[in-house]
Amino acid sequence: MQTLTILGGGSAYTPGLLQALIAHAGELPLTTVRLYDTDAGHLAIVARLTSAMAQQANAFKVEVAPTLEAAIAGADLVLNSTRPGGLAARRIDESLPLEFGLPGQETVGPGGFFFALRSVPEALRVAAVMQDLAPDAILLNYTNPSNIVTQALVNRGGVKVIGLCDQSDEDLLALCHALGRPARYTFRCNGLNHATWYSDVLIDGAPLAAHNAPLAPPDDYDDEHKLRFELSLALAREHAGYWPNSYLPYYLFPQAFVAHARRVGPRSDVVAASLDRYYAHFEAEGKRARPELKFFRGSAGFGDLAVTAIRALASSTPHELVLNLPNLGATASFAHDTVVETRVRVSSAGIERLPAPHLPTSFYGLAKQLERYQRLTAKAAAGGDHQARVAALAANPLVGKPLLAANMINQARASYPDWPKARA
Ligand code: G6P
Ligand code: MN
């Protein structure tokens, strides 16, 4: 497990990921990290910075690959962390649903569906190249919507796939912060990516319910994250013993997010406006003899989860983590081959699923709807025809009706500059 390839290597998330890999280089088997991106300018800036960082720490070699094939050939691990369509497409994912009175979110609802139509074919292309040029490699998929992309890859078969998302750590850290406790927590979980419930939560050794402090969102959260936290708290009050994934409020209080987005505009605009500052910092540090990375996109959890997963896969002692994988009996709430987000024990010998806790009973119906939506969308995005797309989008619990789904798809076809054509 010596060569790690990062697809989306020019992203503003990559320096933070590399910082985590460098900090743990002694525990990882890596000798080479290969970066590949379709944005050559950003790739050059990030590669220069991260290779200087890695060299200074004597960690591993950082190299740039000129093509997808060159990036993948001979790799042991391929980390897919791309955004097909870029922020311009994300802006449409976030705006178009609002015109139909639905939340505009890049992973939830219609926005997530349109993102999946772009992400799934790209991920399948990666899988095809891997099968040819790195048949034993493991594909670690961070690309969103992570559950749908991972489901499509699992359906395809032919490559080893693990889906990643660090949201559970982000949510638990927010709780620690709200309680004013150190970041020490354990939890179990069940559900689908961005739609899980946490249970058996212990913070700083004590059950969540035993902490009496009033819970307020972290100060550094923006308004949308504060809203998600406050609505999570409302859901937790209705479901004793549970805490929801902070994306669940989009499904359960959609109008709160519609109103919010109409007030503040799309998140992609905030992200786009911040990028110059990130790349200016990366470029400036990349030129220094001793580069110092002071900030990067994404939470620390993004890099930490990748480090934990890679370390676990290479280690003879099992490590526990939360991954997106085919259920295979971890929970009775979903079908055997549905990709679920679940706690597992990982080592070089394999992956052992730990029994998942029960979901709150009031969530059973929504869980089944989301499962059906995930499976239909994974198939439709992998090469379905127009009818398959309409049926998949209609299965989204926020959409519900085929006529509404068809109208949204027609509008989307006219809105995205590179609309992925359906199979005839
Ligand atoms: C969380 C989610 C990721 C998502 C990210 C978006 O970390 O778990 O799946 O990509 O938020 O962050 P952004 O800064 O792009 O809005
Ligand atoms: Mn995520």
Side-chain angles (χ1 to χ4, degrees):
M1 224 170 256
Q2 297 183 342
T3 300
L4 165 70
T5 289
I6 302 175
L7 307 176
S11 137
Y13 278 81
T14 302
L17 172 61
L18 267 285
Q19 187 176 56
L21 294 172
I22 291 166
H24 295 276
E27 310 140 47
L28 298 173
L30 303 176
T31 56
T32 305
V33 174
R34 236 185 243 166
L35 306 180
Y36 174 71
D37 204 295
T38 51
D39 184 328
H42 282 166
L43 178 59
I45 291 172
V46 171
R48 177 159 183 181
L49 168 67
T50 55
S51 63
M53 285 163 55
Q55 197 176 12
Q56 190 181 312
N58 207 6
F60 39 69
K61 191 168 78 180
V62 175
E63 57 183 40
V64 167
T67 62
L68 182 65
E69 287 71 18
I72 289 175
D76 301 295
L77 293 159
V78 176
L79 190 124
N80 188 36
S81 178
T82 60
R83 178 179 290 292
L87 286 172
R90 175 171 173 181
R91 191 174 202 282
I92 307 174
D93 298 339
E94 293 174 336
S95 317
L96 194 151
L98 289 177
E99 295 175 35
F100 293 83
L102 297 177
Q105 214 290 319
E106 57 159 352
T107 63
V108 167
F113 176 81
F114 296 130
F115 196 2
L117 292 189
R118 303 190 300 276
S119 297
V120 165
E122 288 296 327
L124 294 177
R125 202 157 71 89
V126 168
V129 177
M130 282 178 69
Q131 211 174 353
D132 268 2
L133 302 177
D136 297 324
I138 299 173
L139 176 52
L140 299 169
N141 180 67
Y142 249 130
T143 293
N144 271 325
S146 192
N147 54 326
I148 298 173
V149 174
T150 305
Q151 183 76 60
L153 288 163
V154 166
N155 292 350
R156 179 194 182 278
V159 286
K160 292 175 232 158
V161 182
I162 294 174
L164 300 179
C165 170
D166 60 317
Q167 191 59 45
S168 45
D169 289 316
E170 267 186 50
D171 288 340
L172 269 292
L173 282 174
L175 266 177
C176 293
H177 190 283
L179 291 166
R181 313 293 304 199
R184 276 202 294 265
Y185 58 83
T186 57
F187 68 98
R188 299 169 75 209
C189 72
N190 192 358
L192 307 172
N193 177 237
H194 289 189
T196 47
W197 284 90
Y198 314 116
S199 62
D200 308 274
V201 175
L202 292 181
I203 292 193
D204 204 9
L208 187 53
H211 292 277
N212 288 320
L215 286 169
D219 298 335
D220 60 345
Y221 265 21
D222 65 14
D223 285 351
E224 186 165 346
H225 283 84
K226 281 187 176 145
L227 181 61
R228 284 165 58 178
F229 188 93
E230 276 153 9
L231 295 173
S232 295
L233 179 56
L235 288 171
R237 287 206 177 106
E238 289 169 18
H239 299 88
Y242 291 97
W243 186 267
N245 187 296
S246 64
Y247 280 89
L248 271 178
Y250 287 101
Y251 292 106
L252 297 165
F253 305 96
Q255 290 315 310
F257 292 97
V258 171
H260 179 265
R262 288 194 172 136
R263 221 170 38 244
V264 307
R267 162 109 187 125
S268 49
D269 284 359
V270 178
V271 173
S274 72
L275 285 186
D276 285 353
R277 192 173 148 258
Y278 286 107
Y279 286 101
H281 172 52
F282 301 157
E283 195 165 17
E285 291 302 319
K287 287 179 184 154
R288 288 165 54 132
R290 303 189 135 268
E292 265 180 64
L293 183 64
K294 297 194 185 78
F295 55 90
F296 49 83
R297 276 236 322 125
S299 65
F302 179 79
D304 290 345
L305 176 59
V307 166
T308 312
I310 296 168
R311 184 173 43 203
L313 287 165
S315 161
S316 54
T317 42
H319 290 63
E320 266 195 35
L321 63 167
V322 171
L323 298 177
N324 281 261
L325 291 168
N327 177 11
L328 304 187
T331 164
S333 307
F334 300 101
H336 205 62
D337 52 351
T338 291
V339 169
V340 297
E341 185 161 296
T342 196
R343 186 167 277 287
V344 292
R345 230 176 252 145
V346 182
S347 72
S348 53
I351 300 181
E352 179 200 350
R353 285 145 179 83
L354 300 176
H358 289 293
L359 286 167
T361 41
S362 67
F363 186 65
Y364 285 2
L366 190 54
K368 289 317 268 183
Q369 272 180 287
L370 286 169
E371 177 183 31
R372 187 163 170 268
Y373 162 71
Q374 172 178 308
R375 300 193 62 133
L376 288 176
T377 304
K379 270 200 172 164
D385 60 13
H386 176 71
Q387 281 318 316
R389 287 181 176 188
V390 171
L393 180 55
N396 188 282
L398 289 172
V399 178
K401 298 182 193 69
L403 186 60
L404 176 58
N407 286 341
M408 295 183 91
I409 288 174
N410 286 339
Q411 172 128 350
R413 190 190 286 136
S415 305
Y416 290 91
D418 292 309
W419 175 247
K421 283 203 181 64
R423 188 165 52 81

